[in-house]
Each structure stands twice: as C-alpha cells, then as structure tokens.
Amino acid sequence: MTTQDNLAGVEATAVSPRLLRGNFRLNWRLRPLPDLALTFLLVFGVLATCQALVYFGIVSRFVIPLPTSIVPALGELIGGGGLGEHILTTVSEAATGLAIAVVIGLSVGTLIAEFRVAERILYPYLIALQTMPKIALAPVLLVWFGFGLGSKIAVAGVISLFPVLVNTIAGLKSCDPGRLDVLRALGASRWDCFRLVKLPNALPFIFSGLSSAVMFALTGALVGEFVGASSGLGYLIVQANNSMDIPQVFAILLILVVVGMAAFGGMQRARRKFLYWSPNQD
Amino acid sequence: MGKIDRLTLDESVAVSESITRAPVIATRGLCKTYATSAGETVNALSQVNFDVGQGEFVSLVGPSGCGKTTVMRILAGLIDGYTGSVNIGGRVVHGPTPHIGVVFQDANLMPWRTVLANVTLPGQVLRLDKKACHARALELLALVGLGGFEKKLPGELSGGMRQRAAIARALLHDPRILLLDEPFGALDAMTRDNMNVELARIAAEAGKTVFLITHSIAESVFLSDRVLVMSSRPGRIIETIKIDLPRPRSLDVVADPMFAATVLRIRRLLEQSTSADLHVTLAH
C-alpha cells in the first residue's frame, strides 16, 4: 500500500543512525546452519593458527599467548577470587559516568535544540570539544578527581557525553513539521509540543546515541584505570601486562567481551521496549 | 487588477446574501506576501473574500501553488503576517481555535501511538476528560470505518486507513468546522474515490461545516455545496459555483450531464486565469 508517504518521514530521520549500529545484533537462531558452522570454523581456524605459530616458535609467546594457556589463566582469574569486585568496580564506574552523561546530554541537548540563545552561546564550544579527542583529558581528570572512583567516572562521563548530546540535538531538530502542525493547530503549548511530539520523535536518535555511549563509558572507565587505579579490570590488565602475563591479559579481555556484550544486549532490549514503533527495527 | 478585486468583493457580498444561515467562516480582504530568499516579495494571496455557512460543504479549488494551502494555514492559525480578517463562529481570530479540526495532506499520525491514542491526542492537548475522550474516540473510529483497529500502530495501516484515523482525530474535540487540505492527495485513484464517498457520509453524519482544499475539480464538484475557484498566484477567488446535484451522491453522479458541465466550467475558468497570467508575464 502507500506506506511510503508517512513512513518516509520516519525513515529519513530514524533509520540512518540505526542502520549504523542497530543491525549488528547477534541473532544465532536466525542464521542458517552452514553460516553458523563457518562462524565456528573461523574461530577455530584462527585459534589453531595462533597455537601453531606460537607452538613452533614462529611468534614469541610474549606477543601472542598459546590459546590453550588462556583457558587456565581464565580459570585462575575466576577461581582466584576478587574478580567479581574488579568487574563491579569497572561496571559501576562506567554506569555512573554514563548516567551523568545521559542526564547532562539530554538536558543540555534539549536546551540547545529548543532555545536559540543556548544554541548560539554553546554550539561553538560544542564543536570545538567534539573535535578534541576527549580521552586526552584522562590524566588531568585523575589530578582533579583523585585516584579513586571519581576520576574514572569523570573519564567515562566525558567521553560518553557527546554521543548522547549530539544525538539528542539531532533528534529534536529532525522533527517532522507536519506532526507539529497537528498540535499547533490545536493551540498546543510549547511544552506539549515537546513532550507529545518532539521527544518521542527523537527517541530513535537518542537510543543510537546511547548505544555508542554505553561502549564509550566502558572504554572511559578502562582508560581511567590505566592512568591510575587500585582496582578494576583496567587495573588488572595493567598489572598482568607489567608482569608480562600475556595469557592473563587475554583472559581479562575475554571477560571484557562478556561485559561489553551484556551491556550491548541490555541496550538492545531497552531499544526494543521503547522503539517498538520504529520501522526497520532489527 | 483593481477591477478584478472589486468584482470579487461584489461577488462575495452577493454570496453572503444568498446564505440565509450565519456564516461560520468569513474572510475579508486576505492578503499574504512572502519574502523569497533572493529578497523578492511574492504575492501569495490578494484580497481573498469568502463565506462558509453553517453545515455547508465548501471546496476551494485552484492550480498548484495558487495559495490554497496558505488560505488553509491562515484559517488553522498556523501562519501569521497576513492582512485582512478571519472570522470564525462570529469572532475575529488570530491564531489556532478549537472550533476547527484540521486534516492535513499527510495523515501525520504519531507512529509511537496506537490508532486510539492518536485519535485521543487532541483531548490531551486541550485537557479534556480522559474517559469521555476514550469513549468518543471509539465512536469516531467506528464512524470512519476503523472499528477494531484501535490497538494497531499507524505503521500497520494503509494510506487510506491512516487518513481515516486523521479524520477521526480532527473530530475528537467536536469542532464546528472540519478543515481538509488535500487529504487524499497521496492516495491512489480508487482509494481516493472511495474516501470521497466516505468523507461525504462522515461530514453528513457528523453534521460539520466542511472546508476542503483540493486541486481535483471532479473531487470538489462531487463533494461540495459550493466551489470557490481560485486563480493562480496571486491567489484570489475568481468565481463561486453552486453545485445543485442532489444528495446523497454516489460515484455514478459523474455520469450526470450537470456534473460534467460543472467540471468543464471550472476547468475553463482555471484555464482562463492561467492564460491571463501568461499574457501578463508576456507583456513584461
């Protein structure tokens, strides 16, 4: 049917950011069997090649660990106790930083999108800050916020702020004027236009910003720990690296993969809950 | 130019005399100019005068870009900066009024709201009683033939169904006037014909004054009690034509010689107005 006319608006605004990230969802069940077999075969092939390269001394085991040595390292890590606490440290740093970034990003983004004055005052700084690699702030933030959780939360917050902020602005500004006319013709207040049309309309953008922000926050927490910390997964990596315990480093990386995937899965679930209406949803 | 203006003024007086019921919409001397990005001013409307009586179905027909939508947006209170006056329900208005329910060219439904929640949206904006709105929305959905689709999302509906929902939404707060801006322009011809039959029925059942903007001459003749013919830019009403075809009208009415004659007459009027424009531009 003639679904294009109305969907076109939604697609033009909502799909482009989604296409960038939303379709990476891992959906094992939907994959045809030969693909699945190939996926595992690929992993097995890479691991076997590594094993062979290291085993026959072509590559030093200080560069790449024997894949088989990662398993006991992982066992040691999990059995050794304290791992849960390190995970919790990193995850809570990332989550707190993200939460602060979301609050600031949504509110400042709304100000900039809704008020010309705010846009004129803040936008130049925003552009300047956005083009700067914010990770470079990590050492300074350590000085400002101390050796504890504070500096890691700050790094996580600073680098995850921008995807939320920029997408909030883009989402609020991309609102279809036709939909706003519906409310305006009823004499709706600006607040009603915002809460009933603009904000829900911006959700696909905000969610794609959040998806990046979640990963940025984890990265920020880890970098913060690299710079200086006494606990957390980033701290563990630096420790293992310093003692040249490369299997241990890889074991921690595996744990980070699990943490990252859990965070990503959570985001996808939230996205499906709030964006049930959005077309091209996975 | 001045001659034409006076002509339309006289005409509108004649029209308002012919209406015994008090006009629900009355415009006097509507003019609107736009500034283009190049700094030129474009006359969109010039001295637009017309009346619409209570319960009347009036169409405004004209070529694309003649300023029809500008008239609609002025009536709906969506644009400013015009001269002349708009009188709705006996009062001069300068902005949106709850006396009007608007149906736009695009259904403009909120894709995150169910059909029912879309129809009750005006209630939320106008702070109407929730329960009453819910009940009325269900009635209206039945009226527009969407009974049973309350829980669907707009994305699950066809284009015609979405326009039906938009009509139900426009009627929710029980406005006196239904204002439609090319509501079926995006639909295919068959759906469009059916929607026109439906619109005639809905307008009659809801007992609303309807002001329809369209570029389809046949559509305007089929639906209206009167057709206002608008010239191309600057838009002005060049003729008002009363349609005396009996109601209710079925699609078979197109075979009526009077229908064909009226359509032809309006077409000629529009052709004359555009060729007159052509002469003006050639003279320059």
Side-chain angles (χ1 to χ4, degrees):
Chain A
M1 288 304 231
T2 52
T3 43
Q4 303 100 317
D5 59 308
N6 204 22
L7 287 186
V10 176
E11 272 162 5
T13 56
V15 169
S16 38
R18 167 160 317 100
L19 276 179
L20 289 173
R21 294 179 197 93
N23 289 343
F24 282 114
R25 199 158 80 89
L26 300 169
N27 203 338
W28 298 109
R29 276 171 309 160
L30 287 183
R31 291 200 184 185
L33 202 63
D35 278 15
L36 192 66
L38 278 176
T39 306
F40 282 119
L41 211 64
L42 178 73
V43 173
F44 184 76
V46 170
L47 289 177
T49 311
C50 289
Q51 185 84 16
L53 285 173
V54 179
Y55 188 81
F56 294 112
I58 302 168
V59 175
S60 157
R61 60 186 61 198
F62 287 116
V63 178
I64 297 175
L66 272 174
T68 47
S69 70
I70 297 175
V71 180
L74 193 64
E76 202 180 301
L77 200 63
I78 295 169
L83 177 68
E85 220 165 286
H86 287 295
I87 293 177
L88 195 70
T89 304
T90 303
V91 168
S92 60
E93 287 160 357
T96 313
L98 179 68
I100 295 170
V102 168
V103 170
I104 296 176
L106 286 178
S107 43
V108 174
T110 303
L111 280 179
I112 289 176
E114 288 289 297
F115 299 99
R116 268 281 160 78
V117 191
E119 182 179 359
R120 268 192 226 128
I121 296 172
L122 295 173
Y123 215 71
Y125 298 105
L126 204 70
I127 303 283
L129 280 174
Q130 206 193 346
T131 49
M132 189 198 83
K134 280 148 300 280
I135 213 81
L137 288 171
V140 180
L141 292 172
L142 184 75
V143 175
W144 288 352
F145 293 96
F147 202 66
L149 293 185
S151 56
K152 286 84 197 172
I153 292 171
V155 181
V158 163
I159 68 165
S160 60
L161 170 67
F162 278 83
V164 181
L165 182 61
V166 170
N167 280 283
T168 303
I169 298 171
L172 290 174
K173 286 203 162 189
S174 75
C175 193
D176 173 25
R179 288 194 190 127
L180 281 173
D181 279 346
V182 172
L183 283 240
R184 289 200 189 115
L186 290 161
S189 65
R190 204 165 161 183
W191 165 242
D192 275 345
C193 287
F194 178 76
R195 81 186 170 101
L196 294 171
V197 182
K198 284 190 178 180
L199 188 60
N201 185 74
L203 278 183
F205 284 82
I206 293 173
F207 265 91
S208 80
L210 282 177
S211 295
S212 330
V214 169
M215 297 303 143
F216 279 28
L218 264 177
T219 309
L222 283 172
V223 171
E225 288 168 2
F226 287 171
V227 178
S230 53
S231 71
L233 292 173
Y235 162 79
L236 282 188
I237 289 177
V238 173
Q239 292 289 305
N241 221 38
N242 287 348
S243 53
M244 291 303 258
D245 191 351
I246 303 304
Q248 169 98 341
V249 172
F250 274 77
I252 301 165
L253 290 181
L254 274 180
I255 287 166
L256 278 171
V257 168
V258 174
V259 171
M261 277 173 67
F264 189 69
M267 271 310 302
Q268 288 293 327
R269 192 168 303 166
R271 186 200 279 263
R272 253 169 288 150
K273 184 169 157 53
F274 288 104
L275 296 182
Y276 54 88
W277 51 274
S278 196
N280 286 26
Q281 181 59 38
D282 55 60
Chain B
M1 192 61 177
K3 208 174 183 179
I4 294 166
D5 290 345
R6 217 174 326 118
L7 245 171
T8 48
L9 263 176
D10 294 344
E11 204 172 70
S12 85
V13 171
V15 167
S16 52
E17 275 167 7
S18 75
I19 303 166
T20 46
R21 299 160 292 194
V24 182
I25 307 173
T27 70
R28 289 294 174 269
L30 282 190
C31 293
K32 169 78 187 168
T33 55
Y34 288 106
T36 63
S37 48
E40 301 161 36
T41 51
V42 176
N43 277 334
L45 298 179
S46 163
Q47 294 291 330
V48 173
N49 305 292
F50 63 85
D51 288 345
V52 180
Q54 171 68 43
E56 219 187 351
F57 198 126
V58 174
S59 294
L60 179 64
V61 64
S64 302
C66 72
K68 300 186 298 279
T69 294
T70 305
V71 171
M72 179 297 255
R73 294 183 74 81
I74 289 175
L75 290 179
L78 292 172
I79 45 174
D80 248 341
Y82 56 90
T83 56
S85 70
V86 176
N87 196 306
I88 286 168
R91 279 201 189 151
V92 176
V93 292
H94 290 291
T97 150
H99 290 308
I100 293 182
V102 190
V103 180
F104 297 90
Q105 182 162 5
D106 292 327
N108 287 329
L109 300 174
M110 312 301 157
W112 52 87
R113 287 178 159 245
T114 61
V115 170
L116 182 68
N118 264 292
V119 175
T120 54
L121 182 66
Q124 237 174 312
V125 175
L126 299 167
R127 311 282 187 266
L128 305 177
D129 179 63
K130 259 190 190 168
K131 268 190 187 159
C133 281
H134 184 88
R136 182 161 166 79
L138 291 176
E139 274 172 37
L140 286 169
L141 282 170
L143 173 72
V144 299
L146 282 182
F149 288 90
E150 295 84 3
K151 297 220 168 95
K152 296 269 186 229
L153 289 169
E156 300 171 276
L157 303 185
S158 69
M161 287 160 99
R162 271 187 246 146
Q163 273 308 3
R164 286 169 193 261
I167 293 171
R169 177 180 61 190
L171 291 170
L172 182 91
H173 58 294
D174 204 14
R176 293 175 71 176
I177 302 156
L178 193 56
L179 190 59
L180 304 113
D181 181 21
E182 310 234 11
F184 311 132
L187 304 181
D188 61 277
M190 285 248 284
T191 315
R192 187 168 184 160
D193 285 346
N194 291 331
M195 288 301 291
N196 279 329
V197 174
E198 286 285 280
L199 177 59
R201 176 184 65 79
I202 292 163
E205 280 184 36
K208 298 295 175 197
T209 304
V210 184
F211 190 74
L212 171 74
I213 282 158
T214 178
H215 57 232
S216 160
I217 302 171
E219 186 172 273
S220 70
V221 175
F222 175 72
L223 287 166
S224 313
D225 299 316
R226 274 191 303 136
V227 175
L228 309 173
V229 184
M230 202 172 197
S231 70
S232 55
R233 192 175 285 166
R236 56 193 185 275
I237 311 287
I238 49 172
E239 187 84 66
T240 303
I241 291 167
K242 212 164 177 340
I243 314 291
D244 281 324
L245 297 164
R247 286 183 186 275
R249 298 169 192 162
S250 75
L251 285 172
D252 298 339
V253 83
V254 297
D256 192 312
M258 196 158 89
F259 181 90
T262 316
V263 168
L264 192 65
R265 190 176 157 210
I266 297 173
R267 173 153 295 138
R268 286 276 146 76
L269 281 164
L270 289 172
E271 276 167 9
Q272 277 165 21
S273 91
T274 42
S275 61
D277 273 11
L278 214 65
H279 286 303
V280 171
T281 43
L282 283 175
H284 272 284

